Amino acid sequence: MIKGIKGVKDILPEETPRWRFIEETARRWAARYGYQEIRIPIFEVTTLFARSIGATTDIVEKEMYTFADRDGTSLTLRPEGTAGTVRAFVEHNRAADPLPQKYFYLGPMFRHERPQAGRLRQFHQFGVEYFGTQDARADIEVMALLWRVLSDLALPDLTLEINSLGTPADRAAYVPILVSFLKSRAARLCANCQRRMETNPLRVLDCKIPECRAATEDAPHLTAHLSPQAKDHFDLVLGGLTALGIPYRLNPRLVRGLDYYCLTAFEITSSHLGAQNAVGAGGRYDGLVEVLGGPNTPAVGFAVGLERISLMLPDQTLPPSAPSVYVASFGSEGGPAGVLLLEQLRRAGVPAQSDYRANTLKAHLRQADRAHCLFAVLLGDDEAKRGSALVRNMKTKVQEDVPLSELPRFFLTAFQAL
RNA sequence: GUGGAUGUAGCUCAGUUGGUUAGAGCGCCGGAUUGUGGAUCCGGAGGUCGCGGGUUCGAAACCCGUCAUCCACCCCA
């Protein structure tokens, strides 16, 4: 038996309604905030990701699905959506069009990791990118949009954590201060953090090991070393969140993994997700457009994991499924009449189904029950002869005789009344 | 890439110190009710016991290997 690829899941019909609901909610809120959909390719030239995400990040170093095209060009399945969106922005010279520009995307991403709860090799993200202003209100808007989507979905126990990574210059000035502090505590740090001290000192602050956290308890905070501009920006962002009634928690240890972030960095976590507790994350990446060959264009954005949302989405949040009619036709005259009726109902816009295997009324009604149909149309030879059918309300069991020609209108009005 | 747990019917799981034709519940199909669903009762279909090797008179069970899934580490959405 040929099986699916490790970490790549089928989304079966039982689950597609919840996915559609999540996607529709995301689209609805994106539209309300004035974001337009962009559809970018699922694969790109490898160097795009290496350059934008950062050559030394885990994603680029060991998690990309990379393969050679026939001419030898190295291609990669997209591990995230920002790189492609920015590439499209630059390639189509969108910066020449009026700014700001606000995009959203929705779709599969690929990372070669060991699967785990809330982590797959093909997973799905909803993300937005706001191009063209450094104004803190853009940061606020993006976070508000994310908060609204997740709140609308009634996801439990969400926390918005926020930090400022400062400007690149701020970080350059801060890192030596942090490193010298870490060196003084090196003995108390785990082996990983000892290594991270060299490769990515900021990450040491985000280590989950209690000993490391204790050792870095009184580490100097980046937020205490912000330039005046960065500090102002951060204060405006926090003030804006408060004004909009969006609760947040300052997390000076929060560091985003991707190279391109600056200033605002945020993450929404939930305690209902197991070890992978981040639902979504984002931040500002003012330098990225330029890095990818475009004009200097500030930008903010976020991405959320749809699998992680789905894991948390309470069933009660889902809207009820669309009402449907079951056609229970049988007999030498009822059978053919049922086939016609099915087609007429469907063409009139009434969802209608039947089971062609069923030969008895009992079998038909069992199917109607199982399919949760609101009505069953009982159509045997007697009914076919007189040109009508019995409409049975599956809940109340009340039956009434309705002429065949009037059935489409009958159901349209019945469904409208729901 | 590392560690741990688990692989028996479509699903959830039993299966005694190794011992005949491998079981249950749910689900599915049919009957009891020759034109009325869900409940009940009865019957039926459905299995390379993950795969390969080994030990043994005999393996679902024990050993080795392998694959897969899940969870965790790493990292991240």
Side-chain angles (χ1 to χ4, degrees):
Chain A
M1 178 176 47
I2 297 177
K3 303 220 272 187
I5 297 164
K6 180 200 281 283
V8 177
K9 280 207 173 156
D10 300 309
I11 299 172
L12 297 171
E14 293 75 29
E15 277 194 282
T16 46
R18 80 192 282 113
W19 276 82
R20 243 194 343 263
F21 178 65
I22 293 168
E23 290 160 0
E24 282 162 7
T25 303
R27 287 176 185 282
R28 188 167 58 246
W29 283 99
R32 284 186 196 172
Y33 278 75
Y35 290 72
Q36 293 181 295
E37 182 175 12
I38 183 169
R39 299 198 183 192
I40 48 171
I42 262 170
F43 61 136
E44 300 265 5
V45 150
T46 303
T47 47
L48 170 66
F49 301 115
R51 202 173 298 164
S52 70
I53 297 169
T56 61
T57 57
D58 275 21
I59 292 177
V60 171
E61 278 185 339
K62 46 191 195 194
E63 295 175 2
M64 295 204 303
Y65 274 99
T66 296
F67 56 96
D69 201 353
R70 295 193 173 212
D71 66 359
T73 313
S74 181
L75 304 180
T76 293
L77 262 35
R78 61 182 190 192
E80 51 98 56
T82 297
T85 305
V86 172
R87 194 224 79 230
F89 181 84
V90 171
E91 182 169 341
H92 300 286
N93 199 19
R94 304 290 285 192
D97 293 334
L99 293 171
Q101 290 172 37
K102 310 200 289 192
Y103 301 91
F104 81 87
Y105 60 83
L106 205 53
M109 307 293 164
F110 305 85
R111 292 183 200 172
H112 189 108
E113 301 183 89
R114 283 282 285 268
Q116 196 181 321
R119 174 200 285 167
L120 297 172
R121 289 187 174 179
Q122 175 175 337
F123 60 105
H124 299 78
Q125 285 187 335
F126 162 64
V128 313
E129 320 288 358
Y130 188 140
F131 292 107
T133 178
Q134 209 166 20
D135 196 303
R137 285 171 290 189
D139 306 46
I140 297 161
E141 176 180 299
V142 152
M143 285 185 272
L145 167 53
L146 176 54
W147 190 256
R148 246 74 262 192
V149 170
L150 301 181
S151 304
D152 196 7
L153 292 168
L155 304 189
D157 298 315
L158 297 175
T159 306
L160 170 62
E161 297 186 35
I162 188 167
N163 191 20
S164 175
L165 303 178
T167 64
D170 294 346
R171 248 180 304 171
Y174 165 74
V175 165
I177 299 171
L178 176 63
V179 169
S180 73
F181 169 85
L182 293 176
K183 281 194 172 137
S184 72
R185 308 293 171 97
R188 292 169 58 191
L189 297 176
C190 69
N192 260 326
C193 282
Q194 306 231 6
R195 185 172 44 79
R196 283 199 276 245
M197 244 166 58
E198 312 292 334
T199 57
N200 188 356
L202 290 175
R203 266 287 293 150
V204 177
L205 296 177
D206 204 27
C207 186
K208 287 173 193 147
I209 296 171
E211 289 75 44
C212 289
R213 294 203 88 103
T216 57
E217 195 58 53
D218 48 353
H221 285 172
L222 173 49
T223 43
H225 294 260
L226 294 178
S227 54
Q229 312 93 283
K231 177 85 172 70
D232 282 354
H233 186 88
F234 195 38
D235 288 343
L236 285 169
V237 168
L238 298 182
L241 290 174
T242 304
L244 296 186
I246 297 171
Y248 62 85
R249 191 163 77 200
L250 288 176
N251 180 357
R253 294 171 182 269
L254 178 64
V255 179
R256 303 273 66 241
L258 283 47
D259 272 7
Y260 50 63
Y261 287 113
C262 64
L263 298 172
T264 310
F266 62 94
E267 191 168 284
I268 294 189
T269 57
S270 169
S271 48
H272 289 238
L273 277 175
Q276 311 304 321
N277 64 351
V279 189
R284 181 163 276 285
Y285 48 96
D286 290 342
L288 184 59
V289 175
E290 201 167 10
V291 164
L292 293 180
N296 188 327
T297 310
V300 232
F302 70 74
V304 270
L306 267 35
E307 279 74 7
R308 293 185 184 178
I309 290 179
S310 178
L311 280 174
M312 287 190 292
L313 183 68
D315 284 333
Q316 314 90 273
T317 311
L318 290 175
S321 51
S324 176
V325 170
Y326 186 94
V327 173
S329 64
F330 49 94
S332 57
E333 293 181 46
V339 174
L340 280 181
L341 176 60
L342 272 174
E343 189 67 7
Q344 281 161 3
L345 289 173
R346 290 162 175 169
R347 289 181 66 183
V350 177
Q353 55 187 302
S354 190
D355 180 358
Y356 303 125
R357 298 172 313 165
N359 300 313
T360 63
L361 184 55
K362 179 192 182 69
H364 268 133
L365 285 173
R366 188 167 53 233
Q367 290 300 121
D369 187 44
R370 186 165 19 212
H372 301 115
C373 292
L374 259 45
F375 295 98
V377 178
L378 280 40
L379 180 49
D381 290 345
D382 298 348
E383 290 80 5
K385 280 197 184 84
R386 63 171 189 264
S388 67
L390 291 175
V391 174
R392 177 181 177 84
N393 182 314
M394 293 297 285
K395 275 226 171 65
T396 64
K397 302 186 179 185
V398 174
Q399 299 188 172
E400 63 177 301
D401 201 60
V402 179
L404 290 175
S405 58
E406 284 178 28
L407 281 170
R409 212 154 44 86
F410 177 91
F411 289 121
L412 282 174
T413 54
F415 288 171
Q416 212 152 34
L418 291 178

